[in-house]
Amino acid sequence: MATTDIGQIHISVTDLERSVTFYRDVLGLAHLFTVPGQPMAFFMAGSVRLYLGVPEDEKFRSRPVVYYRVDDVEADHAAIVARGAVSLSDPHMVHRDAAAELWMAFVEDPDGTPIGLMTERPCG
């Protein structure tokens, strides 16, 4: 057996409804479903499924920093902030080599979890 891909990432939240609104309406991710009667909601980010949930046990509390690819980090950061996200860091270049520049910006979700936005631009 070999690990081949990421299937799902868990993001701990404290208020599921508030977080569903944020990830759907502010970040613009596709909401797949919310489990009736359970504090669980699922989204798609490209080929990776995100599971937002209120953990029943502290051992399962997560605080990941997920980096989302965006087409235009300046425009997408501005749009996400305009829809209500708190900005942690304006767009800035973090690396440049002969082939590309890596640009990032950060916002936070309703629980204060940082969210990275990233764009890679070819040089030249």
Side-chain angles (χ1 to χ4, degrees), residues 16-118:
L16 188 66
E17 288 183 36
R18 181 179 67 170
S19 294
V20 166
T21 299
F22 178 85
Y23 280 83
R24 182 190 59 219
D25 300 342
V26 177
L27 278 188
L29 295 178
H31 178 234
L32 298 174
F33 58 93
T34 298
V35 179
Q38 296 290 323
M40 304 164 65
F42 295 85
F43 289 80
M44 283 307 290
S47 64
V48 177
R49 185 171 54 207
L50 298 179
Y51 159 28
L52 305 184
V54 178
E56 293 179 17
D57 186 316
E58 278 301 310
K59 289 188 284 188
F60 291 96
R61 179 161 304 282
S62 65
R63 192 163 164 88
V65 178
V66 179
Y67 294 74
Y68 298 89
R69 290 186 190 276
V70 296
D71 292 329
D72 180 333
V73 70
E74 289 90 351
D76 289 310
H77 177 263
I80 289 167
V81 169
R83 291 192 298 261
V86 173
S87 178
L88 297 177
S89 171
D90 288 335
H92 59 283
M93 183 174 44
V94 297
H95 179 72
R96 181 184 182 143
D97 60 27
E101 295 177 347
L102 175 59
W103 285 74
M104 289 188 186
F106 292 87
V107 297
E108 67 180 16
D109 78 3
D111 286 292
T113 302
I115 294 170
L117 308 172
M118 59 185 281

